[in-house]
C-alpha cells in the first residue's frame, strides 16, 4: 500500500501515466515520460519550475476597459529526461513483441520511480533495462536519473539536453493553453568532460533558467563518452559493452531566486559532486519518514482507499510550493492544464490540509499571497474600485490572467477565500507575529474591497454583480457563498485588529502600530466593517426552508435533463454560456460549500435542506465538487452517499473519470479527498472554540487515524468503534467530540533503556567489513557480489565467513580451526581499514542522541556482534555514554537469536519490555523482537521489512524519541 504499480504498458494510457508517475519536490516537477522515448502515442514531455512564468498577449474579440491584455503562462523548461538506448545499433522502443516483464512503480516511502523490463532485439538477444529517477525533497534543485542496461553486445546511451522545447496547446479545450507555445529561448549550451551546462530565458519576461548536468558511468571500465551539439540539442553519447549504467545528476536554477542562475547551478553541482544517487535516496527516505510521521493517514480495512490516499498525499507534497515565489497550480507540477495558474483552490482546498500537518508550508503559501498584494491593489483600481485589493482569479506573478470575466474576474469571493486561509492559519497556530507582519495587511486590504463593492439596501448590506463558485451561474446579486464569506471576512478584520492591538507581545504591538500608520487605519473604518458583517443580506426561501444560492437562482427553469440535445457533458464544452446561465444547473458546490466552511450561519435543517436540493441539480463538472458533497453528506448523516462521493473523488485521476488527467493531476480534488477523511468522516472543524469532531466512520472500515498539528501540539486521532486520542507533542488540550469535551494529555510509554547495535547505526562500518570480506575472498581465488554487504550485516564473524565461502564453493574445504584462522585474518584486514577512525566517523546525530538519552535518565547499552566494538567506541570517544557493553563472546548464540539483547537487558538490570533496540540489519531486528524489546530500524524499509518503525538516520530517531517515547 506504499507503491503505485503498473505491470502493463498500454500506449493509449501513455500520457495519463505521465501524470500519475510524475515526480517533483515543490520547486520542480517532471512528468513520467519514458527516458528512451516512444515509438508512437500521445505524450506531453514536460519539466516545470514552480513560479517561473512568461507573459503572452491576451486578445479579446471585443475589448473593454479593465480587460487584461496579457497573461502569465508557466513555460516548459529544457528537457533532461531523454536517454536513448541502442543495442547493437538497434534503438530500443517498447512495441508489441519486443519486451516482457514490464514493471513500473512510484514509491511513496522513497520518493522515486522505478521502471524495468526485458527487451529483445531483432536478432533475438535480450537486455535487462532499468530506470530510476527522483526529484530531491531535501535539496530541491536536484533531479536525478539512474539508468542500467545489461546486454551481451554493444550498448550505446545517448543522453539528451534538449532546449528545443514548446508548451502543449489544445485550441478545442479552454482549460489548456492555446497558441504561444514557444516561451523559452536559448542563451548557452555547452558540454565538456562529463558535464553539460545550459541556460535559457523566457521570451518576454527575460527570466533566466539554467541547468547543470553531470554524467557518471557505472559498471564498466571500458566506456567512451563524447558530446555532440545540433540545433539546440546536446547529445552525450556513451558506448560500452556487456553492462553499463548512467547516473545523471541535474541541477535546476532560475532567475527569480538566484541572481546568476548558471553560476549557482555550477556551484551546487560541484558542492554535491561526491554524492551519488543512493546518497540522495537516503536523504529522500529520511525526509519522507518525517513527512509520513507528521502527516500520514492510516486506514484499516480498505487497502484500495489507503493506497489512493497515500498517492494523493504524496502528489500534494510534490506540487506544493516551497518558497514565497510559488504557490500550487491547479495541476501542480504534473502537467500544463490551466497553464500553471494558481486559483482559489489553494486557499479553500489545499491549505486546510497543510495547516493540519505542515504549518511552515502553509505559511510560505500565504507569504506568496502577501508578496503579490501590490498587484491586487492595482487590479482593484483597474476594476473601478477606489479602495482595497482585488486578487486575480488566476495568476502566477500576480496579474489577472482570466480572459472570460463572468467566470473569472467576477469571482470576487477569492478575496474572502484568501482572508479565510489567513484566519484559519491563525486559529491553527496562534501566530500573532505573522499576522502583524503579513496577515492583517492582506485581510484588511481585501476587506476594504467589500466596503467599496457592497451597498446598503433596506437596511441590509448587499453585494451585487458577482459570480460564486458555481461557474454555471454568473453575474448575480447576493450569491450566498460570496456574502457568507464576506461576512466572516469583515467580522474577522475587526476582531484581528483588536487582537493585535491588545497583544501581550511587545514586538507584535510595535509591528502593528507601524502597520496602522502605514495603511491609515482608523477605528471608524473597522466599526463600519463590523456593522456590514452584522447586516449582511442572505435570501432565505421559505418554500424550501433553505438559503437561496442568489437572488434569482430559484426563479429559473430546471435544466431539461429529459431532452437528448441537453444530455452532453461537461456542459462548458458543449453549450453556450448563456444557455447554461439561464437554468438551475450547478457546476460545483456553492451554497453547500459555504455551509461546510461557515456552518454557524445556518441551522441544521437549513444545511440539510440545502444539501438535498442543490445536490440533485449539480453536474460535478468541476473536479472540486464531489469531495465537498461527500464531506457535507457526512455532515448530514448521509453516510452511504458520503462514501460513494469519497470513492468517486478518490478515483478521479486513477481512473481518469474526467478524461483530462493527461493534462495534469487535479490537485484540489486530491486535497479534497484527504479532507473527505478529516473534515468528512472525522467531522473535523477548527474554529474559535478550538477542535471539534463529529465522527462518521464508513461502515466498511475497521478504523482510521490521522495527525493534527494544532498550536504547538501534535495530536493523533483514531476513529473506530470509539474515538481515541494520543498527544504526541505539546501540552494537554480539550477536544470536543459531538457535544462532549475531552481533555487529552501526553501519555509517555515507560521506556527506561535504549540498546544500540554499532555497525550501521552509530557508525557506518559495514562497507569496511564488506571490503575486508572482498579482500579475503580475492586471496582465496574468487569474488563476492555487492549484495554480500547486506547479507553479512549484523551477524557473527564465523556465520559471515560461511556465507562468503559459499560464494566460492569452499564451505567444506576448511576445518573449524582453519575457518577460525580465516576469520581472524579477515578481522586483521578489517582493523587495518578502520584503524584511523575518529569521532568524525560517527553517523550524523549520534552524539546529540546519546547526550539526550543520558540527560533524560535513559540507560544506554551496546549489543554489537563485533568484538572490535570497544576499540571503535574508544576511537570515536563515546565509551562514557554507555552503561553496559555486551561482549559477544559471553553469549551462546548470535543474531538473530535474542541472546545479545537479553544480555544487555541483564547488564542494565532492566526488563526487556522497558527497552528499545536499535538495529540496521534484518537479523538484528529479529533478535530484538525475540528478546521482547521494541524494535526500531535505521536504514531502508525494503531491507528492514520485519520492522514497523524505520528511520533513515539518527536525527529522525532523535525526534521520534523526544515526541513519542521518552
Amino acid at each position: 500500500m506504499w507503491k503505485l504499480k503498473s505491470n502493463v504498458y498500454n500506449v493509449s494510457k501513455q500520457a495519463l501515466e505521465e501524470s500519475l508517475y510524475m515526480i517533483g519536490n515543490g520547486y520542480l516537477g517532471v512528468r513520467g515520460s519514458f527516458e528512451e522515448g516512444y515509438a508512437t502515442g500521445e505524450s506531453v514531455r514536460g519539466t516545470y519550475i514552480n513560479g517561473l512564468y512568461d507573459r503572452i498577449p491576451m486578445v479579446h474579440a471585443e475589448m473593454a476597459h479593465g480587460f487584461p491584455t496579457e497573461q502569465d503562462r508557466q513555460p516548459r523548461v529544457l528537457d533532461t529526461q531523454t536517454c536513448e538506448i541502442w543495442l547493437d545499433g538497434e534503438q530500443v522502443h517498447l512495441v508489441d513483441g519486443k519486451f516482457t516483464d514490464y514493471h513500473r512503480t512510484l514509491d511513496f516511502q522513497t520518493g522515486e520511480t522505478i521502471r524495468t523490463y526485458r527487451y529483445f532485439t531483432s536478432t533475438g538477444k535480450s537486455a535487462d533495462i532499468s530506470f530510476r529517477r527522483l526529484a530531491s525533497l531535501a535539496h530541491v534543485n536536484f533531479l536525478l536519473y539512474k539508468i542500467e542496461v545489461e546486454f551481451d553486445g554493444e550498448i550505446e546511451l545517448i543522453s539528451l539536453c534538449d532546449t528545443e522545447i514548446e508548451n502543449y496547446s489544445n485550441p478545442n479545450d479552454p482549460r489548456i493553453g492555446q497558441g504561444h507555445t514557444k516561451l523559452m529561448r536559448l542563451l548557452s549550451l555547452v558540454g565538456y568532460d562529463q558535464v553539460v551546462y545550459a541556460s535559457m530565458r523566457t521570451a518576454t519576461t527575460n527570466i533566466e533558467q539554467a541547468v547543470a548536468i553531470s554524467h557518471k558511468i557505472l559498471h564498466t571500465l571500458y566506456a567512451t563518452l563524447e558530446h555532440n551539439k545540433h540545433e539546440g540539442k546536446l547529445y552525450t553519447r556513451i558506448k560500452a559493452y556487456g553492462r553499463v549504467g548512467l547516473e545523471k545528476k541535474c541541477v535546476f536554477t532560475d532567475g527569480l531566486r538566484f541572481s546568476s542562475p548558471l553560476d549557482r547551478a555550477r556551484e551546487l553541482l560541484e558542492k554535491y559532486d561526491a554524492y551519488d544517487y543512493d546518497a540522495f535516496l537516503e536523504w529522500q527516505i529520511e525526509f519522507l519518514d518525517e513527512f509520513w510521521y507528521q502527516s500520514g493517514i492510516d486506514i484499516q480495512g480498505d487497502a484500495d482507499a489507503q493506497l489512493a490516499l497515500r498517492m494523493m498525499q504524496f502528489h500534494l507534497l510534490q506540487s506544493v510550493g516551497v518558497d514565497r515565489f510559488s504557490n500550487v497550480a491547479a495541476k501542480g507540477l504534473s502537467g500544463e492544464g490551466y497553464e500553471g495558474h494558481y486559483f482559489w483552490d489553494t486557499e479553500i482546498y489545499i491549505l486546510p490540509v497543510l495547516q493540519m500537518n505542515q504549518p511552515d508550508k502553509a505559511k510560505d503559501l500565504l507569504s506568496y499571497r502577501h508578496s503579490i498584494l501590490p498587484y491586487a491593489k492595482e487590479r482593484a483600481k483597474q476594476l473601478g474600485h477606489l479602495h482595497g485589493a482585488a486578487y486575480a482569479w488566476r495568476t502566477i506573478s500576480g496579474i489577472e490572467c482570466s480572459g472570460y470575466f463572468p467566470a473569472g474576474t467576477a469571482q470576487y469571493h477569492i478575496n474572502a477565500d484568501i482572508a479565510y486561509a489567513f484566519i484559519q492559519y491563525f486559529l491553527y497556530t496562534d501566530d500573532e507575529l505573522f499576522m502583524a507582519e503579513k496577515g492583517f495587511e492582506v485581510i484588511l486590504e481585501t476587506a476594504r474591497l467589500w466596503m467599496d463593492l457592497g451597498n446598503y439596501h433596506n437596511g441590509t448590506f448587499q453585494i451585487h454583480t458577482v459570480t460564486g463558485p458555481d461557474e454555471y451561474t454568473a453575474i448575480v446579486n447576493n450569491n450566498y457563498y460570496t456574502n457568507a464569506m464576506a461576512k466572516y471576512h469583515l467580522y474577522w478584520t475587526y476582531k484581528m485588529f483588536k487582537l493585535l492591538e491588545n497583544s501581550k507581545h511587545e514586538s507584535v504591538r510595535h509591528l502593528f502600530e507601524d502597520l496602522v500608520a502605514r495603511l491609515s487605519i482608523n477605528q471608524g473604518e473597522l466599526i463600519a466593517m463590523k456593522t456590514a458583517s452584522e447586516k449582511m443580506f442572505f435570501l432565505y426561501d421559505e418554500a424550501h426552508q433553505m438559503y437561496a444560492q442568489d437572488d434569482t437562482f430559484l426563479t429559473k427553469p430546471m435544466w431539461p435533463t429529459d431532452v437528448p440535445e441537453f444530455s452532453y457533458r461537461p456542459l462548458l464544452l458543449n453549450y453556450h454560456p448563456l444557455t447554461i446561465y439561464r437554468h438551475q444547473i450547478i457546476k460545483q458546490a456553492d451554497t453547500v460549500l459555504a455551509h461546510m466552511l461557515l456552518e454557524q450561519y445556518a441551522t441544521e435543517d437549513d444545511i440539510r435542506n440545502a444539501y438535498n436540493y442543490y445536490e440533485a441539480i449539480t453536474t460535478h463538472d468541476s473536479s472540486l465538487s464531489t469531495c465537498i458533497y461527500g464531506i457535507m453528506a457526512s455532515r448530514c448523516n448521509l453516510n452511504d452517499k458520503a462514501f460513494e462521493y469519497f470513492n468517486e473523488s478518490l478515483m478521479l485521476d486513477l481512473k481518469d473519470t474526467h478524461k483530462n488527467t493527461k493534462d495534469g493531476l487535479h490537485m484540489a480534488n486530491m486535497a479534497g479527498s484527504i479532507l473527505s477523511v478529516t473534515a468528512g468522516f472525522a467531522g473535523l472543524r477548527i474554529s474559535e472554540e478550538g477542535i471539534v469532531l463529529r465522527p462518521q466512520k464508513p461502515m466498511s472500515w475497521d478504523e482510521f487515524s490521522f495527525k493534527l498539528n494544532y498550536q504547538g501540539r501534535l495530536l493523533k486521532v483514531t476513529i473506530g468503534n470509539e474515538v481515541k486520542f494520543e498527544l504526541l507533542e505539546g501540552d494537554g488540550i480539550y477536544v470536543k467530540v459531538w457535544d462532549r469535551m475531552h481533555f487529552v494529555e501526553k501519555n509517555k510509554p515507560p521506556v527506561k533503556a535504549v540498546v544500540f547495535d554499532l555497525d550501521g547505526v552509530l557508525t557506518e562500518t559495514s562497507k569496511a567489513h564488506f571490503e575486508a570480506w572482498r579482500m579475503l575472498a580475492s586471496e582465496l581465488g574468487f569474488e563476492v557480489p555487492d549484495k554480500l554487504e547486506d547479507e553479512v550485516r549484523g551477524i557473527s564473524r564465523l556465520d559471515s565467513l560461511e556465507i562468503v565461502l559459499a560464494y566460492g564453493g569452499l564451505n567444506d574445504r576448511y576445518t573449524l580451526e582453519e575457518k577460525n584462522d580465516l576469520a581472524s585474518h579477515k578481522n586483521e584486514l578489517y582493523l587495518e581499514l578502520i584503524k584511523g577512525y575518529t569521532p568524525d566517523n560517527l553517523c550524523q546525530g549520534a552524539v546529540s542522541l546519546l547526550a539526550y538519552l543520558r540527560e533524560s535518565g535513559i540507560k544506554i547499552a551496546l549489543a554489537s556482534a563485533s568484538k572490535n566494538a570497544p576499540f571503535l567506541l574508544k576511537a570515536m570517544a563515546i565509551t562514557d555514554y554507555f552503561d553496559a557493553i555486551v561482549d559477544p563472546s559471553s553469549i551462546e548464540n548470535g543474531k538473530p537469536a535474542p541472546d545479545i539483547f537479553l544480555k544487555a537487558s541483564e547488564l542494565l538490570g532492566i526488563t526487556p519490555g522497558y527497552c528499545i533496540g536499535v538495529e540496521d540489519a534484518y537479523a538484528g531486528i529479529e533478535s530484538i523482537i525475540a528478546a521482547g524489546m521494541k524494535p526500531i530500524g535505521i536504514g531502508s524499509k525494503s531491507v528492514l521489512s520485519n520492522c514497523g518503525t524505520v528511520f533513515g538516520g539518527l536525527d529522525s530517531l532523535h525526534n521520534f524519541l523526544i515526541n513519542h517515547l521518552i
Side-chain angles (χ1 to χ4, degrees):
M1 293 183 290
W2 287 99
K3 295 178 181 179
L4 180 65
K5 299 178 181 180
S6 174
N7 295 325
V8 177
Y9 167 56
N10 185 336
V11 68
S12 67
K13 295 184 177 180
Q14 199 164 269
L16 166 65
E17 291 200 347
E18 287 180 345
S19 296
L20 291 172
Y21 286 89
M22 66 83 58
I23 59 166
N25 55 26
Y27 171 66
L28 64 91
V30 188
R31 286 174 59 80
S33 308
F34 284 8
E35 286 86 346
E36 70 275 32
Y38 305 107
T40 185
E42 186 178 13
S43 172
V44 180
R45 200 175 190 83
T47 303
Y48 315 98
I49 289 179
N50 206 342
L52 186 66
Y53 66 95
D54 197 28
R55 285 187 178 159
I56 60 175
M58 186 184 297
V59 179
H60 303 271
E62 296 186 28
M63 189 63 183
H65 178 77
F67 281 18
T69 58
E70 58 182 359
Q71 64 173 324
D72 298 334
R73 189 173 186 186
Q74 182 181 64
R76 188 185 301 184
V77 300
L78 58 82
D79 177 22
T80 61
Q81 294 185 71
T82 301
C83 184
E84 296 176 5
I85 299 175
W86 296 75
L87 305 174
D88 286 344
E90 177 181 324
Q91 187 172 7
V92 172
H93 278 140
L94 292 191
V95 294
D96 289 345
K98 300 287 286 184
F99 68 96
T100 61
D101 301 319
Y102 176 89
H103 301 284
R104 189 181 203 181
T105 62
L106 172 59
D107 192 320
F108 312 135
Q109 291 178 298
T110 65
E112 66 172 342
T113 58
I114 301 175
R115 187 166 53 89
T116 62
Y117 56 84
R118 175 164 290 175
Y119 183 83
F120 297 91
T121 67
S122 56
T123 61
K125 293 165 67 175
S126 66
D128 291 323
I129 305 175
S130 70
F131 305 87
R132 298 168 67 185
R133 66 167 77 171
L134 66 84
S136 176
L137 291 159
H139 304 282
V140 296
N141 298 95
F142 284 82
L143 172 66
L144 296 101
Y145 306 86
K146 189 172 184 178
I147 302 165
E148 296 174 287
V149 182
E150 191 166 349
F151 174 67
D152 185 18
E154 184 182 81
I155 305 169
E156 183 176 14
L157 305 180
I158 304 178
S159 171
L160 176 63
C161 180
D162 186 1
T163 67
E164 291 294 311
I165 38 93
E166 294 188 30
N167 277 53
Y168 178 68
S169 176
N170 184 350
N172 298 315
D173 191 338
R175 298 165 295 186
I176 306 298
Q178 302 170 25
H180 301 287
T181 58
K182 189 70 173 175
L183 304 178
M184 303 287 289
R185 55 188 177 89
L186 179 63
L187 293 179
S188 64
L189 178 61
V190 296
Y192 57 88
D193 293 333
Q194 294 182 329
V195 184
V196 172
Y197 297 105
S199 63
M200 304 188 74
R201 181 172 288 164
T202 54
T204 58
T205 53
N206 291 317
I207 302 172
E208 187 177 346
Q209 188 270 311
V211 173
I213 309 168
S214 69
H215 298 80
K216 180 181 178 182
I217 302 173
L218 310 171
H219 308 318
T220 180
L221 297 176
Y222 307 101
T224 62
L225 183 150
E226 66 177 17
H227 300 293
N228 303 106
K229 181 179 174 183
H230 179 68
E231 294 181 354
K233 298 182 181 182
L234 196 147
Y235 303 85
T236 302
R237 298 176 183 271
I238 297 164
K239 292 185 178 180
Y241 192 95
R243 187 184 181 201
V244 69
L246 170 64
E247 284 190 6
K248 289 174 64 176
K249 189 186 302 176
C250 311
V251 181
F252 287 76
T253 56
D254 68 87
L256 290 174
R257 297 162 176 89
F258 304 104
S259 58
S260 180
L262 189 57
D263 288 342
R264 184 55 179 159
R266 183 182 292 108
E267 291 167 4
L268 286 170
L269 191 64
E270 292 173 354
K271 179 179 178 180
Y272 289 90
D273 177 64
Y275 299 95
D276 61 6
Y277 185 98
D278 290 339
F280 278 87
L281 183 61
E282 288 182 16
W283 289 327
Q284 191 90 329
I285 292 170
E286 188 169 348
F287 185 101
L288 286 167
D289 283 344
E290 183 65 19
F291 169 74
W292 290 116
Y293 161 62
Q294 293 281 345
S295 308
I297 296 174
D298 293 315
I299 300 170
Q300 302 298 320
D302 192 337
D304 290 341
Q306 179 71 88
L307 175 65
L309 210 63
R310 282 179 177 155
M311 182 199 78
M312 291 176 161
Q313 288 191 277
F314 181 72
H315 274 309
L316 275 178
L317 173 66
Q318 294 194 113
S319 286
V320 171
V322 293
D323 54 36
R324 65 182 179 84
F325 298 99
S326 55
N327 204 270
V328 189
K331 295 288 190 176
L333 294 167
S334 66
E336 296 174 28
Y338 296 103
E339 302 172 271
H341 292 154
Y342 311 138
F343 294 77
W344 70 307
D345 306 15
T346 297
E347 281 72 28
I348 298 303
Y349 290 79
I350 296 170
L351 268 166
V353 174
L354 300 180
Q355 285 162 347
M356 284 180 56
N357 305 117
Q358 301 174 72
D360 289 342
K361 281 199 170 184
K363 190 174 183 177
D364 283 340
L365 295 181
L366 294 171
S367 294
Y368 159 80
R369 287 297 190 184
H370 178 265
S371 74
I372 63 170
L373 182 60
Y375 287 100
K377 294 174 74 172
E378 179 60 30
R379 183 58 178 160
K381 293 178 183 177
Q382 294 169 0
L383 295 172
H385 300 293
L386 301 178
H387 308 285
Y391 274 96
W393 178 243
R394 53 191 294 177
T395 191
I396 298 177
S397 68
I399 66 169
E400 178 61 83
C401 299
S402 174
Y404 184 66
F405 75 86
T409 301
Q411 295 196 57
Y412 278 89
H413 65 81
I414 192 172
N415 264 19
D417 301 331
I418 292 169
Y420 182 89
F422 275 96
I423 295 159
Q424 282 284 294
Y425 172 81
F426 175 73
L427 292 174
Y428 266 102
T429 64
D430 197 29
D431 188 350
E432 289 186 354
L433 185 62
F434 180 71
M435 301 310 291
E437 288 177 331
K438 298 178 180 179
F440 185 70
E441 183 176 9
V442 173
I443 291 170
L444 175 75
E445 292 289 12
T446 48
R448 281 173 165 169
L449 195 80
W450 296 125
M451 301 306 293
D452 194 70
L453 178 64
N455 64 279
Y456 280 95
H457 179 68
N458 292 334
T460 62
F461 192 80
Q462 303 191 11
I463 301 174
H464 296 164
T465 320
V466 297
T467 300
D470 171 25
E471 294 173 352
Y472 287 172
T473 309
I475 313 296
V476 299
N477 296 340
N478 296 313
N479 167 255
Y480 180 85
Y481 178 91
T482 303
N483 284 22
M485 293 293 282
K487 176 181 176 71
Y488 186 75
H489 186 176
L490 292 167
Y491 159 77
W492 263 100
T493 308
Y494 178 84
K495 184 178 180 68
M496 187 62 68
F497 178 88
K498 290 298 182 183
L499 285 171
L500 298 178
E501 184 181 46
N502 299 309
S503 174
K504 297 176 183 178
H505 306 290
E506 186 176 353
S507 58
V508 171
R509 290 199 307 275
H510 285 323
L511 279 169
F512 183 67
E513 288 167 4
D514 292 343
L515 187 67
V516 168
R518 179 164 62 86
L519 299 181
S520 303
I521 306 171
N522 61 73
Q523 290 280 354
E525 180 182 22
L526 273 297
I527 291 171
M529 289 182 179
K530 180 174 179 288
T531 302
S533 175
E534 293 168 350
K535 298 291 186 181
M536 188 66 66
F537 175 73
F538 300 105
L539 178 62
Y540 190 79
D541 186 83
E542 293 290 347
H544 296 93
Q545 292 291 290
M546 67 179 193
Y547 285 100
Q549 183 167 299
D550 60 64
D551 283 359
T552 63
F553 184 82
L554 297 177
T555 69
K556 298 175 182 177
M558 293 291 182
W559 186 265
T561 54
D562 57 340
V563 179
E565 288 79 4
F566 286 85
S567 63
Y568 302 108
R569 297 291 186 273
L571 302 190
L572 77 162
L573 297 183
N574 291 283
Y575 303 97
H576 192 282
L578 289 176
T579 302
I580 300 171
Y581 294 163
R582 64 173 64 103
H583 289 92
Q584 282 192 58
I585 191 75
I586 297 174
K587 182 181 182 184
Q588 64 199 74
D590 191 302
T591 303
V592 171
L593 176 58
H595 288 327
M596 172 192 158
L597 300 176
L598 299 168
E599 57 188 30
Q600 63 268 37
Y601 294 161
T603 69
E604 293 293 322
D605 287 341
D606 295 337
I607 292 172
R608 188 175 297 105
N609 292 338
Y611 182 88
N612 290 331
Y613 186 88
Y614 293 121
E615 190 251 353
I617 56 174
T618 301
T619 65
H620 306 296
D621 283 350
S622 167
S623 63
L624 281 63
S625 189
T626 53
C627 54
I628 301 302
Y629 274 100
I631 292 168
M632 290 306 290
S634 291
R635 182 70 176 80
C636 297
N637 299 322
L638 303 170
N639 296 331
D640 290 343
K641 182 169 284 190
F643 196 59
E644 289 174 10
Y645 273 126
F646 169 69
N647 282 318
E648 189 174 338
S649 63
L650 205 62
M651 292 296 119
L652 190 148
D653 282 319
L654 282 171
K655 294 187 177 179
D656 194 20
T657 57
H658 280 222
K659 306 304 179 186
N660 66 343
T661 298
K662 69 178 179 59
D663 300 320
L665 304 169
H666 297 79
M667 289 297 125
N669 174 73
M670 289 188 165
S673 299
I674 296 167
L675 292 175
S676 295
V677 176
T678 58
F681 301 143
L684 172 68
R685 300 292 187 275
I686 302 295
S687 65
E688 293 176 71
E689 66 178 313
I691 303 171
V692 178
L693 295 168
R694 298 187 190 90
Q696 301 273 8
K697 179 183 72 69
M699 290 294 292
S700 60
W701 291 6
D702 297 328
E703 67 175 32
F704 67 98
S705 63
F706 61 94
K707 309 280 183 57
L708 178 62
N709 196 314
Y710 179 80
Q711 296 190 2
R713 303 165 178 90
L714 185 62
L715 182 68
K716 181 179 180 180
V717 181
T718 302
I719 297 172
N721 295 328
E722 59 181 346
V723 181
K724 295 180 289 186
F725 300 101
E726 185 181 355
L727 186 61
L728 305 176
E729 299 176 20
D731 301 327
I733 188 173
Y734 281 98
V735 178
K736 188 176 182 180
V737 181
W738 293 102
D739 295 322
R740 182 183 173 189
M741 297 299 295
H742 298 255
F743 186 70
V744 184
E745 56 185 339
K746 200 166 184 180
N747 179 23
K748 298 181 180 178
V751 175
K752 298 180 180 180
V754 179
V755 184
F756 289 95
D757 178 39
L758 178 63
D759 298 342
V761 174
L762 297 173
T763 183
E764 186 54 73
T765 59
S766 62
K767 294 188 184 303
H769 278 295
F770 171 66
E771 184 58 31
W773 287 121
R774 187 197 292 274
M775 293 165 67
L776 177 65
S778 180
E779 291 177 9
L780 297 177
F782 64 93
E783 295 183 356
V784 291
D786 292 347
K787 67 179 181 178
L788 177 73
E789 183 176 344
D790 287 331
E791 293 181 15
V792 300
R793 181 181 280 119
I795 61 177
S796 70
R797 196 178 300 161
L798 282 174
D799 288 340
S800 297
L801 177 64
E802 294 293 343
I803 294 173
V804 172
L805 292 176
Y807 279 106
L810 305 178
N811 304 65
D812 302 323
R813 180 172 297 186
Y814 302 103
T815 66
L816 179 60
E817 182 178 353
E818 290 172 330
K819 288 181 180 179
N820 280 321
D821 290 339
L822 289 172
S824 296
H825 179 52
K826 177 267 174 183
N827 195 50
E828 291 170 0
L829 296 171
Y830 168 72
L831 288 174
E832 185 66 21
L833 291 170
I834 66 168
K835 68 180 182 180
Y837 269 45
T838 71
D840 290 339
N841 293 103
L842 284 166
C843 291
Q844 181 176 321
V847 172
S848 60
L849 174 57
L850 293 171
Y852 169 75
L853 294 172
R854 174 56 58 87
E855 292 166 2
S856 302
I858 303 300
K859 296 291 185 181
I860 308 172
L862 189 76
S864 171
S866 173
K867 294 179 181 179
N868 303 304
F871 164 79
L872 282 167
L873 295 184
K874 184 177 180 180
M876 297 184 295
I878 57 172
T879 304
D880 291 342
Y881 285 106
F882 290 86
D883 301 289
I885 299 173
V886 179
D887 180 357
S889 65
S890 67
I891 60 172
E892 184 175 348
N893 301 300
K895 303 171 186 177
D899 300 30
I900 195 166
F901 283 94
L902 289 173
K903 186 67 175 179
S905 172
E906 176 187 336
L907 293 174
L908 291 171
I910 296 175
T911 303
Y914 292 89
C915 299
I916 291 172
V918 184
E919 263 281 359
D920 73 315
Y922 188 96
I925 295 296
E926 291 293 289
S927 182
I928 294 169
I929 294 170
M933 297 181 182
K934 175 180 175 58
I936 291 182
I938 298 294
S940 167
K941 284 186 172 68
S942 61
V943 174
L944 303 178
S945 58
N946 56 341
C947 187
T949 305
V950 181
F951 297 102
L954 294 179
D955 287 337
S956 293
L957 171 59
H958 191 164
N959 291 333
F960 177 81
L961 293 175
I962 290 173
N963 299 325
H964 287 257
L965 301 172
I966 299 172

